[in-house]
């Protein structure tokens, strides 16, 4: 496609309830959205205007990773979008598959790059009339829906929250843990809801190898997995911890690229991988990691970053690939938002439907989007 211009938008959406993890409490979602406008040539050589949406999953503060929303907007405005516009202005065809190589000279900033690739991919697929799921070669029409449950003020509060999610039909519960809030909440949930509830925990890198004794206590609760217990840059010690505990280790923050995934698998640092497209530089890399894990017998699941309906649509399409054999954090819109910026994703018997329309298959509802918009700017070829 030929790129006409790019809109860069920052939004702020209130969360229904504070979401506490080992790295802090979030009460609203600040996110950067991208809208790419361009033209594609039809078979009859007519120029048709298309647009595509991208969502950057970087949080407002650099607490989950080094990226944060304001910085992502800056690197997009200052480097990534000008590179895209220059490529198109030079008369070279822009496709989603070329975004990675085109932006490779910029080091890091994976969540920012992923948002731009997502917007170009959405526009491209809207132009060709293909859904994202079929572009991936995904087979499922619905995906299992799990839910990520934040740290609560008390065990009783946690049991109430988990009980409500199970009543809503979520098929898997993930508990956020931190030192001092780990064995007790897991024991309480198992005690109240039994051994059959698929249960896992996420430490968000808050532990060290010195906590192995406590983490080993979790082995008795038949958890699906223990997600990212140790720091993101410490794949080697995850391999050591894996030899000390029975619960399978799942990596999240550490898997920032296809190469990091291959390293973690080779070092036996994880038995499962949480795939997040934004964390690995885009949905194309996310599919490559899926393929790598499938070939190595490593189960994967689709992680979440409290996305709006745009990112949720893309995650549902990704999670429909055969290798996503464990329930993901692709929850209903109302897990986090009273009003999503797209049509709501709802839970149906524990499943989320995979959009079938062209591209993402959803788009923002203009007045809802305008209500939560903080800034917008338009960038076009100079
Ligand atoms: C995780 N996601 O798996 C992340 C952590 C996380 C669903 O647990 C705003 C934006 C708040 C992103 C809170 C889930 C967030 C966020 C937690 C990501 O580690
Ligand atoms: Mg995680």
């Amino acid at each position: 496609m030929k790129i006409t211009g790019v809109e860069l938008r920052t939004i702020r959406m209130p969360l229904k309830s504070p979401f506490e993890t080992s790295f802090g409490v979030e009460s609203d979602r600040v996110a950067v959205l991208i809208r790419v406008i361009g033209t594609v040539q039809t078979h009859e050589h007519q120029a048709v205007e298309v647009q595509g949406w991208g969502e950057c999953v970087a949080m407002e503060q650099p607490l989950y990773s080094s990226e944060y929303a304001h910085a992502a907007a800056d690197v997009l405005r200052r480097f990534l979008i000008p590179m895209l516009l220059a490529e198109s202005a030079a008369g070279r065809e822009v496709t989603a598959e070329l975004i990675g190589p085109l932006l490779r000279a910029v080091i890091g900033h994976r969540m920012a790059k992923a948002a731009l690739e997502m917007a170009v991919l959405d526009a491209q697929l809207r132009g060709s009339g293909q859904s994202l799921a079929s572009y991936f070669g995904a087979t499922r029409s619905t995906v299992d829906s799990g839910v990520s449950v934040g740290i609560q003020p008390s065990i009783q509060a946690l049991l109430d929250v988990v009980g409500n999610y199970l009543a809503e039909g979520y098929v898997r519960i993930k508990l956020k843990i931190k030192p001092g809030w780990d064995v007790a909440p897991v024991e309480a949930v198992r005690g109240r809801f039994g051994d059959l509830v698929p249960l896992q925990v996420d430490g968000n890198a808050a532990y060290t190898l010195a906590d192995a004794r406590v983490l080993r206590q979790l082995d008795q609760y038949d958890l699906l997995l223990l997600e990212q217990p140790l720091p993101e840059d410490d794949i080697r010690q995850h391999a050591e911890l894996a030899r000390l505990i029975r619960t399978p280790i799942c990596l999240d923050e550490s898997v920032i690229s296809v190469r990091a995934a291959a390293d973690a698998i080779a070092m036996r640092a994880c038995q499962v991988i949480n795939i997040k497209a934004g964390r690995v530089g885009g949905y194309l890399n996310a599919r490559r990691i899926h393929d790598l894990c499938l070939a190595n017998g490593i189960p994967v699941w689709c992680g979440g970053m409290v996305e709006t309906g745009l990112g949720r649509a893309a995650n549902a399409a990704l999670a429909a690939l055969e290798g996503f054999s464990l329930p993901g954090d692709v929850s209903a819109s109302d897990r986090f938002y009273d009003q999503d910026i797209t049509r709501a994703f709802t839970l149906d018997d524990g499943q989320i439907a995979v959009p079938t329309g062209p591209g993402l298959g959803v788009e923002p509802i203009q007045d809802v989007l305008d209500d939560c918009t903080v800034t917008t700017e338009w960038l076009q070829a100079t």
Side-chain angles (χ1 to χ4, degrees), residues 272-287:
V272 184
I273 289 181
N274 164 336
I275 296 182
K276 292 174 181 174
R279 192 191 67 219
V280 299
Y283 284 90
L284 301 187
N285 282 341
R287 187 182 54 191

Side-chain angles (χ1 to χ4, degrees), residues 64 174 176 202 204 227-228 252-253 274 276 301 329:
Y64 168 84
K174 161 171 146 173
K176 292 292 186 179
D202 187 354
N204 284 107
E227 183 179 343
Q228 196 73 40
D252 175 354
E253 288 89 328
N274 164 336
K276 292 174 181 174
W301 54 281
D329 280 344

Side-chain angles (χ1 to χ4, degrees), residues 40-360:
V40 294
Q41 293 296 320
T42 65
H43 301 308
E44 297 75 38
H45 306 296
Q46 285 169 312
V48 174
E49 184 172 86
V50 290
Q51 73 167 19
W53 290 91
E55 176 172 352
C56 180
V57 298
M59 298 173 63
E60 183 173 11
Q61 301 168 334
L63 302 176
Y64 168 84
S65 75
S66 60
E67 292 188 74
Y68 58 101
H70 199 76
D74 189 78
V75 76
L76 281 158
R77 170 189 312 113
R78 206 182 286 268
F79 300 106
L80 304 178
I81 293 171
M83 291 165 80
L84 178 73
L85 292 170
E87 181 74 2
S88 187
R92 286 186 288 275
E93 191 62 15
V94 169
T95 66
E97 296 78 8
L98 292 176
I99 298 293
L102 177 69
L103 304 179
R104 183 164 294 135
V106 173
I107 305 304
H109 300 287
R110 293 178 178 84
M111 294 176 177
K113 290 177 179 179
L116 198 53
E117 183 197 81
M118 178 179 166
V120 172
L121 182 55
D122 184 31
Q124 182 175 310
L125 294 177
R126 285 177 195 272
S128 63
Q130 185 182 24
S131 74
L132 187 56
S134 79
Y135 172 85
F136 287 145
T139 50
R140 300 187 188 109
S141 59
T142 66
V143 295
D144 282 341
S145 182
V147 66
S148 180
V149 182
I151 293 167
Q152 302 294 321
S154 70
I155 293 289
Q156 188 48 54
L158 175 68
L159 295 175
D160 295 344
V161 167
V162 170
N164 292 338
Y165 287 136
L166 290 173
E168 284 182 46
Y170 282 105
V171 301
R172 181 273 277 149
I173 299 292
K174 161 171 146 173
L175 301 180
K176 292 292 186 179
I177 60 172
K178 66 178 180 183
W181 176 271
D182 39 37
V183 178
V186 169
E187 179 170 46
V189 169
R190 269 286 181 246
R192 168 70 63 83
F193 301 106
D195 298 341
L196 300 180
V197 173
L199 186 60
Q200 61 191 62
V201 296
D202 187 354
N204 284 107
Y207 294 84
T208 70
L209 212 46
D211 300 310
R213 195 182 311 283
V214 171
L215 295 173
R216 190 186 293 130
Q217 289 179 46
L218 295 173
D219 284 349
Q220 64 191 299
Y221 299 107
D222 192 25
L223 298 175
L224 282 172
L225 57 91
L226 164 59
E227 183 179 343
Q228 196 73 40
L230 308 179
E232 70 165 75
D233 61 355
D234 200 340
I235 292 186
R236 181 182 61 76
Q237 294 205 74
H238 278 102
E240 280 193 51
L241 180 63
R243 288 190 286 276
L244 300 172
I245 68 173
R246 264 187 307 109
T247 303
I249 288 180
C250 172
L251 289 180
D252 175 354
E253 288 89 328
S254 292
V255 179
I256 59 172
S257 64
V258 181
R259 200 172 290 124
D263 292 351
I265 294 169
M267 295 165 71
R268 299 188 185 294
C270 62
Q271 289 75 45
V272 184
I273 289 181
N274 164 336
I275 296 182
K276 292 174 181 174
R279 192 191 67 219
V280 299
Y283 284 90
L284 301 187
N285 282 341
R287 187 182 54 191
R288 292 182 183 107
I289 293 173
H290 161 271
D291 299 349
L292 170 77
C293 290
L294 195 58
N296 284 276
I298 299 284
V300 301
W301 54 281
C302 185
M305 288 291 283
V306 191
E307 290 93 343
T308 75
L310 295 171
R312 208 161 293 278
N315 287 347
L318 182 70
L321 279 166
E322 65 175 301
F324 284 83
S325 54
L326 292 170
D329 280 344
V330 185
S331 312
S333 296
D334 69 7
R335 160 66 186 89
F336 293 110
Y337 305 115
D338 289 316
Q339 169 77 60
D340 202 338
I341 60 171
T342 67
R343 59 94 173 157
F345 283 81
T346 55
L347 206 52
D348 178 10
D349 188 21
Q351 305 280 303
I352 294 280
V354 177
T356 55
L360 299 176

